[in-house]
Amino acid sequence: MCGPLGVTHLLLFSRSETGNTNLRVAATPRGPTMHFRVDKYALCKDVQRIQRHPRGGGKEFLTPPLLVMDGFTTPEATAKSKVPKHLESLATTVFRSLFPPINPHTTPIKTIRRVLLLKREQSCSDDGTFIINFRHFAITTRPADSSRPLRRLNAAEKLMATKTSRHGKMPNLGKLQDIADYMIGGDNGEGYMTDMTSGSEPDTDAEVEVLGASHKKISSAKARQAAAHDDDDDDKDAADDEQNVERLRVKLVELGPRMRMRLTKVEEGLCGGKIMWHEHIHKTQQQIKELDKRWEQKKQEKEARRREQKANVERKKAAKEQAKGEDGDDGDDDGDYSDMDVDDLDSEGLEGGDEILGE
């Protein structure tokens, strides 16, 4: 049912009898499946409990997040390394396909509300470990050229327009003689206090320039024809774009969860198939060839059982149709196996968990 429902990946959490938490990331419908051991984790409620102003439960989850991956590929990796180069490419492809691609030229900036960070821990030596740190943040923005008092006044104005306004969130101006005493800051009360003119050093790394929303007047056909012959239109549009540029301060607020997970094995198929890579167990080329022969034999046996089961279903269906014609009674539909999936009749399947392939 993954195809009709539009499900492309399955993330399955489980806990073993010894208390270890495992994660399986499977690409539907034909795999592969990546097995991870979750070494450390923190739930979303644990992350929000230590925050002063937690976020979550809003419109952040209506759009897919921005995926940022770091350190998944190493330049010195080869096909004979303990973590081979094709395994790094496979992990990159699986995680990249979790979310739809983002086109920077056509995607609206307001739709990017979250970011998912996946960072691989680089080990000093080639010890064969593939460890990933999982972090999840919400992206918040605010104007960079406005002062804190002005932002509080804007927030208070929005609260006054709502029915559930709280006076505790509004600035207290009862002890001031003039609004200028609240707005003016700096040394000796001179100057307009902003994030750029305050005593603290500005953090320019968290500031970005975006093109603000512009409203253009719809002109008539004659006006458009007259404007088409005007050579100064391009200069005017460029000047308007420069005026619409807005500086925003970007801040990340963690949503959770946090995870530190280690890749243990990769197998073919959807949670069932031969092992393509294992963290601890490695096979020689001769052992790999023997396992391939055994696996091919099992596949042939499964196909033979499937053909036999399909023939039995057709034979029972023909016998039932013949009995209906002789008796002239429709009977019941308990013996009709025509709508049954033949794959469901095969109870044995392929058990590939015990056969491990590696280098």
Side-chain angles (χ1 to χ4, degrees):
M1 292 298 293
C2 292
L5 295 178
V7 178
T8 59
H9 292 76
L10 296 177
L11 278 71
L12 309 174
F13 286 92
S14 62
R15 177 169 292 179
S16 62
E17 297 179 355
T18 57
N20 296 324
T21 304
N22 301 316
L23 169 64
R24 288 177 292 175
V25 181
T28 60
R30 302 185 182 277
T33 304
M34 306 183 70
H35 294 251
F36 292 92
R37 173 74 57 82
V38 181
D39 295 334
K40 300 178 182 179
Y41 68 91
L43 301 178
C44 296
K45 60 180 181 180
D46 299 329
V47 174
Q48 295 177 0
R49 189 178 292 113
I50 63 176
Q51 294 177 348
R52 185 176 180 182
H53 301 289
R55 293 180 62 91
K59 298 181 180 180
E60 292 86 1
F61 296 93
L62 297 179
T63 55
L66 178 66
L67 180 62
V68 178
M69 296 185 294
D70 182 29
F72 270 63
T73 58
T74 54
E76 62 273 6
T78 60
K80 296 183 179 180
S81 302
K82 292 185 178 180
V83 180
K85 191 174 185 61
H86 60 268
L87 178 62
E88 297 178 346
S89 302
L90 177 63
T92 304
T93 304
V94 169
F95 282 105
R96 185 180 296 172
S97 60
L98 280 173
F99 307 104
I102 295 177
N103 189 353
H105 301 287
T106 59
T107 303
I109 298 178
K110 293 183 179 180
T111 60
I112 304 177
R113 301 176 181 269
R114 293 178 295 142
V115 58
L116 178 62
L117 302 181
L118 299 176
K119 180 177 177 58
R120 178 188 173 188
E121 291 186 5
Q122 299 293 342
S123 58
C124 299
S125 59
D126 190 9
D127 54 356
T129 59
F130 194 92
I131 301 175
I132 299 176
N133 288 317
F134 180 101
R135 302 290 291 274
H136 185 207
F137 296 89
I139 302 176
T140 60
T141 58
R142 64 179 183 182
D145 54 352
S146 62
S147 63
R148 181 175 298 177
L150 184 59
R151 290 197 298 268
R152 291 192 63 187
L153 289 178
N154 292 334
E157 184 180 1
K158 293 180 181 180
L159 286 174
M160 292 297 296
T162 60
K163 296 181 180 179
T164 60
S165 61
R166 297 181 180 179
H167 296 283
K169 295 184 179 180
M170 298 182 183
N172 186 9
L173 306 180
K175 298 181 180 180
L176 302 179
Q177 299 295 331
D178 192 359
I179 186 64
D181 297 336
Y182 180 75
M183 296 298 298
I184 295 177
D187 296 335
N188 300 324
E190 297 178 355
Y192 180 74
M193 184 181 66
T194 64
D195 292 338
M196 301 298 294
T197 59
S198 61
S200 61
E201 183 178 356
D203 186 8
T204 57
D205 294 338
E207 293 183 3
V208 295
E209 293 184 355
V210 297
L211 188 63
S214 60
H215 303 280
K216 295 184 178 180
K217 182 179 179 181
I218 300 176
S219 57
S220 61
K222 293 182 179 180
R224 289 196 299 268
Q225 291 178 359
H229 299 285
D230 192 358
D231 297 335
D232 298 335
D233 287 344
D234 296 337
D235 298 337
K236 292 181 180 179
D237 294 340
D240 293 339
D241 292 341
E242 292 180 358
Q243 294 178 358
N244 291 331
V245 172
E246 183 181 5
R247 295 183 64 86
L248 297 178
R249 186 178 295 275
V250 181
K251 183 180 179 181
L252 299 181
V253 180
E254 189 169 6
L255 296 175
R258 299 180 186 176
M259 286 190 295
R260 183 180 185 270
M261 48 191 184
R262 187 179 77 253
L263 182 63
T264 56
K265 66 178 179 179
V266 181
E267 62 180 350
E268 289 184 353
L270 187 64
C271 300
K274 59 183 179 181
I275 307 301
M276 298 188 295
W277 179 85
H278 200 279
E279 182 182 11
H280 303 293
I281 303 176
H282 305 279
K283 297 290 184 180
T284 61
Q285 293 295 332
Q286 184 65 26
Q287 292 174 339
I288 292 175
K289 291 181 181 179
E290 293 178 358
L291 292 177
D292 286 339
K293 291 180 181 179
R294 292 169 55 186
W295 190 263
E296 187 65 26
Q297 183 179 0
K298 283 190 174 183
K299 289 178 64 177
Q300 293 177 0
E301 292 176 356
K302 182 178 179 180
E303 291 295 333
R305 290 195 303 269
R306 185 175 297 176
R307 289 193 298 267
E308 183 180 358
Q309 291 167 355
K310 186 176 181 180
N312 293 335
V313 170
E314 295 295 336
R315 179 175 52 82
K316 292 180 180 179
K317 182 179 178 181
K320 183 178 179 180
E321 293 293 337
Q322 184 178 1
K324 286 182 180 180
E326 294 178 356
D327 299 340
D329 187 9
D330 293 340
D332 53 3
D333 295 335
D334 294 339
D336 191 2
Y337 300 96
S338 60
D339 296 335
M340 182 180 295
D341 191 359
V342 180
D343 295 341
D344 297 338
L345 298 177
D346 188 4
S347 60
E348 296 184 10
L350 294 178
E351 299 178 357
D354 297 334
E355 298 183 358
I356 300 173
L357 298 181
E359 294 183 356

